[in-house]
Amino acid sequence: MNLAHTTVLLWVWGSLQAFEIVEKENIFQRTPCPAFLMFDNAAYLADMSFELPCHCKPEEVTAVVWYYQKHLGSGHTKVLTDFDGRVLTEEAQVRVGSDMLVRFSIRMFSLLVFRAQPEDSGLYFCGTRKGDYFYAYDVDIQSSEGMVATFKDQGQEPFADEYQGSLHVFTTFWEWTPCDRCGVRGEQWRIGLCYLQSPDLSPRYRKTLPDVVSCGSRAVPTSLRAKARDHTPELLVQSCIVPCERKVVQEGMMAIFNYVSKLGSRPWVPQVPIQFHQQRLGHGLIISCPGARPEHAVAWDKDHQFLYRTQYLKGVNRSMRVFIDHGNHLHIRFTQLSDRGIYYCWRQGVRVAGFRLGVMSRGHYRASFSDPETRAAMELTLIGYLLITAVFVTIHLCRCCCYLFRCCPNFSP
């Protein structure tokens, strides 16, 4: 073996050793756990999904368990774990309003909570089966009920900051979303959550800015939280326009279209997948955009009509029959025949899906207990039957009492 071969072998061996050393390094070795457990404050809007990474743990720990408490020191603690073969939860399979125990997943030591609700606010601990905690979060889920929309194009301004002695309540806005449409006038918005600044906060909670946490944080004393209760989340909306990205059409597909057009008229081919739905006249309908989340830029069109948030956002007009909620869902109350058409959904500036809505004015409908209207009709019928029965029994009891005590006249002929 000559000198060149020996040099190459030594270089390869040294590279393998270096690779082995780098491979053994991980983030948990570089991030020591705090000696005193602190809580990182994090705030989200209702129906959002969020991830809580476990930033530190001992090297010998191979699996983590997440714990949840409503308040610090609470006797009731929920254990969130994927031990015993728990199937990982996907966001698309989670329904709104489900219990948190069926809306979480643990991946790479991080906790994922899907479609968070205000009831999920509280303290989250990363630890072991024995109850040893390494890292903790103070999570504040703010409700979208009462959320105030501000339209910049109409000259409206966000809420002014509130000052009550040493308490400072204000709104912190997220980044602007992308334009929700392309090629035409669209809209973009940014979500604003309630935050406050006060020197009376608990020192166990880590803040990004001095004495600043979200309004629902456990670091806020009860007296201060009551003062900030009226400061609701905000939605700031403005117009925008961006060009569309040019799509390359496959040559084979164009050849088929040209051949069909020579034989007759070219068929109508939708640019996005179209789903057909038949709805009964006078009943409500909620349409969701596939793959969309509350923080996404989502827009809706009906045929060639643009449904802008300045006109169709929930809360703009109390008498609205068609509106878009803060979770980007399209609501149609008391469906009418004029609601027929194709409703297109835009996500992050790209048209992704369409819903062809048909309205049935006649025909039979099979009743089902899963239908809320059927359940409401059954409840009203049962309540009416119980009231009639109660009146009937009361009258006969009175007649019996009068007969026994002979205090009523005899109406018999």
Side-chain angles (χ1 to χ4, degrees):
M1 182 180 295
N2 55 22
L3 181 60
H5 289 167
T6 305
T7 304
V8 171
L9 288 176
L10 291 175
W11 177 80
V12 171
W13 176 256
S15 300
L16 291 176
Q17 290 290 334
F19 177 79
E20 183 180 1
I21 293 174
V22 173
E23 186 182 28
K24 290 182 179 179
E25 291 183 354
N26 55 59
I27 186 174
F28 301 108
Q29 291 179 347
R30 298 193 303 267
T31 308
C33 293
F36 187 73
L37 190 65
M38 302 285 289
F39 297 91
D40 284 355
N41 178 238
Y44 304 94
L45 189 66
D47 288 331
M48 285 186 174
S49 300
F50 62 88
E51 177 181 0
L52 302 178
C54 189
H55 285 302
C56 73
K57 72 174 185 64
E59 186 179 1
E60 61 273 10
V61 175
T62 58
V64 299
V65 179
W66 283 86
Y67 299 87
Y68 167 79
Q69 288 184 0
K70 192 69 176 178
H71 304 282
L72 184 61
S74 174
H76 180 65
T77 302
K78 290 183 179 180
V79 181
L80 311 176
T81 175
D82 58 356
F83 290 147
D84 302 326
R86 176 179 175 84
V87 179
L88 294 180
T89 305
E90 296 293 339
E91 183 178 9
Q93 301 174 355
V94 177
R95 295 184 178 181
V96 178
S98 303
D99 188 81
M100 183 182 63
L101 292 177
V102 299
R103 287 187 288 104
F104 84 92
S105 177
I106 298 177
R107 300 179 185 178
M108 296 298 294
F109 309 112
S110 297
L111 176 68
L112 281 74
V113 179
F114 304 110
R115 296 184 178 274
Q117 300 300 313
E119 303 82 47
D120 299 335
S121 299
L123 306 176
Y124 291 81
F125 304 85
C126 174
T128 63
R129 280 183 172 182
K130 299 179 180 180
D132 299 326
Y133 299 149
F134 314 129
Y135 210 83
Y137 288 90
D138 166 36
V139 178
D140 174 23
I141 309 297
Q142 301 187 11
S143 175
S144 58
E145 293 295 329
M147 190 174 186
V148 178
T150 303
F151 302 101
K152 292 191 64 177
D153 297 344
Q154 300 178 3
Q156 300 177 1
E157 295 293 336
F159 284 152
D161 294 358
E162 302 177 19
Y163 294 90
Q164 302 181 30
S166 61
L167 177 64
H168 177 203
V169 183
F170 57 96
T171 300
T172 298
F173 285 94
W174 293 13
E175 295 293 331
W176 288 99
T177 65
C179 197
D180 58 5
R181 295 177 178 87
C182 68
V184 296
R185 185 179 74 86
E187 294 175 328
Q188 59 181 167
W189 56 89
R190 59 196 307 190
I191 297 173
L193 299 180
C194 176
Y195 277 77
L196 58 83
Q197 183 178 21
S198 173
D200 301 326
L201 303 178
S202 173
R204 287 202 63 177
Y205 297 82
R206 188 179 290 114
K207 304 107 180 159
T208 54
L209 295 175
D211 298 332
V212 174
V213 293
S214 60
C215 294
S217 170
R218 270 44 186 177
V220 182
T222 305
S223 57
L224 296 183
R225 190 178 303 176
K227 296 180 180 180
R229 187 174 301 169
D230 296 334
H231 198 98
T232 59
E234 298 183 62
L235 186 69
L236 191 58
V237 184
Q238 69 177 11
S239 299
C240 59
I241 183 169
V242 295
C244 294
E245 297 181 0
R246 299 185 60 181
K247 296 183 178 180
V248 179
V249 182
Q250 299 179 1
E251 297 181 359
M253 187 65 68
M254 288 301 300
I256 295 176
F257 288 166
N258 293 332
Y259 176 75
V260 174
S261 63
K262 292 179 181 179
L263 299 178
S265 59
R266 180 175 296 183
W268 176 75
V269 178
Q271 298 180 353
V272 294
I274 302 292
Q275 179 181 352
F276 180 75
H277 178 76
Q278 196 81 1
Q279 183 69 9
R280 288 183 298 157
L281 181 67
H283 292 74
L285 177 66
I286 301 177
I287 308 177
S288 300
C289 187
R293 298 196 296 268
E295 61 269 26
H296 283 169
V298 177
W300 292 94
D301 300 338
K302 180 191 176 185
D303 295 327
H304 300 290
Q305 177 187 1
F306 304 126
L307 306 181
Y308 289 112
R309 275 174 164 74
T310 51
Q311 299 175 347
Y312 290 93
L313 184 64
K314 179 181 178 180
V316 173
N317 188 350
R318 294 184 178 180
S319 62
M320 287 191 304
R321 191 180 59 85
V322 180
F323 61 90
I324 303 171
D325 65 14
H326 297 295
N328 297 324
H329 304 101
L330 179 65
H331 294 246
I332 302 178
R333 302 175 59 190
F334 311 112
T335 308
Q336 301 178 0
L337 295 177
S338 58
D339 294 327
R340 295 171 175 171
I342 301 179
Y343 293 83
Y344 293 102
C345 164
W346 298 73
R347 188 185 70 227
Q348 300 292 87
V350 179
R351 186 183 290 183
V352 294
F355 302 87
R356 190 180 187 91
L357 178 62
V359 180
M360 298 184 299
S361 58
R362 298 179 182 178
H364 299 283
Y365 177 77
R366 181 178 298 176
S368 174
F369 286 103
S370 61
D371 186 1
E373 296 181 358
T374 302
R375 292 198 301 267
M378 292 292 295
E379 291 176 359
L380 290 177
T381 304
L382 182 60
I383 292 174
Y385 177 78
L386 293 176
L387 288 176
I388 294 175
T389 303
V391 172
F392 178 80
V393 172
T394 303
I395 292 175
H396 278 269
L397 286 176
C398 293
R399 289 179 61 88
C400 290
C401 292
C402 290
Y403 177 78
L404 292 175
F405 294 101
R406 299 183 183 279
C407 60
C408 290
N410 188 10
F411 294 100
S412 58

